[in-house]
Amino acid sequence: MTVETYPWAPGFVAGDRPRIVTSRFEHEDSHTLERYMATGGYEGLRAALAKPAAEVHEQVRGSTLLGRGGAGFPAGVKWGLTPEGVYPRYLVVNGDESEPGTYKDRLLMERDPHQLIEGCLIACYAAGLSRCFLYIRGEMALAQERVATALNEAYAAGLVGRDILGSGFGVDIVLHWGAGAYVVGEETALIESLEGNRGMPRLKPPFFPAAIGLYGKPTIVNNVETLSNLPFIAANGAEAYTAIGTETSPGTRMVAVSGHVRRPGVYEIVNGTTTFRDLLYGEEFCGGIRDGNELKAFVPGGGSAPWFLPDQLDLPFEGRQVGAAGSMLGSGAIMVMDSTTDIPAAALTLTRFYAHESCGKCVPCREGGTWLMRVLERVVAGEGTTDDLDLLLEVGQSICPGDMPHASSEALGLEATPFPYKMTTICFVGPSAYVPVHSALTLFRSEFEERVAPSRSRTRIPVVAVGGGQ
Amino acid sequence: MSRFSAENLTLAREIVSRYPRPKSAVIPLLHLAQEQEGWISEEAMREIAELVGVTPAEVRGTGTFYEMFHFEPIGRYLLNICGTMSCALMGAGELMHAAEEELGVRAGGTTDDGLITLHGAECQAACTEAPCLQVNYRYRFRVTPDGVRQLIADLRSGALSDEIPPHGTLATVRQHIPSDRAVGAVDPDVDTAPPAWIPVTVEGASS
């Protein structure tokens, strides 16, 4: 067993396991064209350009590469949803990573920008996309700098732009920075932002971006990690990719594990087979809970995901099984809470985030998120009443009507309710404000009850929902 | 306050030309204005509106949606302390207290000398290196309260002025698309032919 870290890639932890997207991280100069070329760079693009575009598309479909942004939709299938014969078509790269707990796209952009660029080119070639916009989160100055430098190098080397490698295939990649808005990670909001508007999601269905997207044209929105897998698939074939991982979740995945563990880090893991116990306790991963404490709960898939208990530790990091157990893998981020954690206060940090990031388009999210936050703040401050706990669930029901997914608990005698939930909003920001409240209240109700006073004579304390978070 | 410098005006036109529709350049140009002045003035928004062919109100409408744009002067250094879950679990609250105490301002405020603006921030995508903060969007990882005090002392003494450019500057390298290599941005309603590498005769080749 080996564990390696590199001072030039803070947070990343390498081990003795297959590496697809982080294969160059051990090199300090992995972001340069020189190193990229010396380590098989742009071989995937060459292999792709030697085949008809449809064949490359078929190869990606055959790899069952799942989108890494959160929804986990197969990339090859997504590309095929564009209406036949309608052009131009665009590629929009979602590098607006901001889900709480998540970071892997930032590392991929900082450490291996050429891999991403090569992935963009392969996608554009395969799906007939004639212009690419690479949208990087505004707060990521180093990633912007690395990708800009790599693009300048690639243009100068004839790898991007007109007539790439003399093949007749040509596409521009335009670098674009965001300016601080979580909701823009939602693909239709990203498109709005790229059109120069407020980043508010578009109503869908009926029209998904693959049909009507940027400038009203067919648009594929793919995540940075998704695209970073394409050079490997194009160079080595779909079989080499599906040989790693499981049938439903092939390849590898980047997972960030943070919070109360001994060795928090970003790990590239084998998809579908690695369990949460491996990740949290394995010596090659996090090595257990800090200070020898007990695990209390963990968020398995980014801040939007319903929480898990130690009961769920033996589940593999695999979408369907995690969904059946009441949560989701989302963007590949685990946040760990040990026995010292103040659960209502921890839930508040997430609810505050989503309330703050509401774009204001859908009423249940705009009003409900802030309302949840204010009631929860009152409870955490010890100023709430038992009625407030019911009020939290009632407000939540107006965002997510019906059964909410949650984990099973042997101690509480709870059966799991599977993912997903129903929602009254266009996107997941509103429900995500409620998810931590619901998880915490369902799995740790006694911690809330200890904090609140019995209800007063007045049955409801009026709450005035004003303003945004901070 | 002032309009784009001659150099930035050239750059602004180059940026606009990359997009099939000019309004797409609103956010990049707001960043450029903020890089030049440290914040975004009414006049800057009027100029951006002229450059992309929309009204100043539309520029403001877009700009005010985004957290990173400031429409009044702020400190030379923007200190953003993350307070979302992983950082909160690892002691972000203490960092904020230390910073508030050291600076003598509450989150959201600017020091009297105009040097440092303190903000509570949401997840900065460095959760394994918690608690973390950014100064003008440059990271500091696994920060302790003493580390924050030292950082503030270094900002005050000018020890970091080479490493951290003034507020408004993000990447210090810009993309430049050489004209002889560019495919070019075409009006999506004009050029509706399949791209050259997609054979039109093959059924389903592109679907």
Side-chain angles (χ1 to χ4, degrees), chain B residues 44-94:
Chain B
M45 286 188 275
R46 276 198 294 276
E47 191 176 12
I48 291 169
E50 285 163 25
L51 284 163
V52 304
V54 299
T55 65
E58 283 176 276
V59 174
R60 167 176 282 275
T62 294
T64 50
F65 185 81
Y66 298 91
E67 202 118 340
M68 290 174 71
F69 294 135
H70 296 265
F71 300 95
E72 49 194 67
I74 67 160
R76 177 185 173 92
Y77 298 111
L78 175 61
L79 183 58
N80 274 327
I81 297 181
C82 178
T84 312
M85 186 179 237
S86 298
C87 285
L89 289 173
M90 299 303 285
E94 291 158 42

Side-chain angles (χ1 to χ4, degrees), chain A residues 256-446:
Chain A
V257 193
S258 60
H260 297 154
V261 286
R262 286 210 180 99
R263 191 192 300 114
V266 180
Y267 302 88
E268 182 170 2
I269 66 168
V270 173
N271 214 353
T273 57
T274 314
T275 66
F276 290 104
R277 189 183 298 281
D278 295 337
L279 277 165
L280 268 52
Y281 289 93
E283 282 306 318
E284 70 274 37
F285 295 108
C286 294
I289 308 303
R290 67 163 187 188
D291 304 332
N293 289 346
E294 293 292 313
L295 171 67
K296 193 166 186 178
F298 61 102
V299 188
S304 304
W307 298 7
F308 273 174
L309 296 168
D311 300 56
Q312 282 77 42
L313 274 175
D314 290 312
L315 281 173
F317 202 84
E318 197 278 327
R320 291 184 191 183
Q321 294 180 62
V322 167
S327 189
M328 63 164 188
L329 290 184
S331 49
I334 301 172
M335 291 182 283
V336 179
M337 292 168 263
D338 73 6
S339 47
T340 67
T341 308
D342 176 343
I343 290 287
L348 176 59
T349 67
L350 288 175
T351 296
R352 184 185 285 142
F353 174 89
Y354 294 106
H356 177 69
E357 297 295 342
S358 175
C359 78
K361 184 164 181 167
C362 308
V363 176
C365 170
R366 184 183 67 219
E367 303 301 324
T370 312
W371 197 355
L372 287 172
M373 179 186 80
R374 294 170 74 85
V375 175
L376 191 53
E377 275 174 349
R378 191 159 74 202
V379 170
V380 169
E383 292 161 3
T385 70
T386 46
D387 275 354
D388 282 335
L389 306 187
D390 298 330
L391 180 60
L392 286 170
L393 297 174
E394 190 186 320
V395 173
Q397 281 287 309
S398 66
I399 307 172
C400 297
D403 288 342
M404 274 301 275
H406 64 78
S408 66
S409 161
E410 207 179 305
L412 298 171
L414 272 181
E415 294 283 321
T417 300
F419 203 79
Y421 40 68
K422 295 189 184 74
M423 54 203 257
T424 56
T425 54
I426 295 175
C427 85
F428 293 92
V429 174
S432 299
Y434 179 46
V435 160
V437 176
H438 181 269
S439 283
L441 257 174
T442 306
L443 306 173
F444 299 96
R445 191 170 176 107
S446 61

Side-chain angles (χ1 to χ4, degrees), chain B residues 3-15 29 32-33 35-37 51 174:
Chain B
R3 297 174 67 90
F4 280 125
S5 65
E7 191 189 343
N8 280 343
L9 189 58
T10 309
L11 189 53
R13 294 206 168 105
E14 187 190 323
I15 290 169
L29 296 193
L32 188 63
E35 178 168 336
Q36 184 178 304
E37 301 295 327
L51 284 163
R174 284 193 177 275

Side-chain angles (χ1 to χ4, degrees), chain A residues 2 12-24 26 229 232 240-241 243-245 250-254 267-271 273-274 284-285:
Chain A
T2 52
F12 177 69
V13 184
D16 198 11
R17 52 186 174 269
R19 281 157 69 181
I20 293 176
V21 290
T22 63
S23 66
R24 293 180 190 84
E26 66 206 60
N229 276 285
F232 177 91
Y241 188 77
I244 304 168
T252 61
R253 247 197 108 148
M254 298 278 276
Y267 302 88
E268 182 170 2
I269 66 168
V270 173
N271 214 353
T273 57
T274 314
E284 70 274 37
F285 295 108

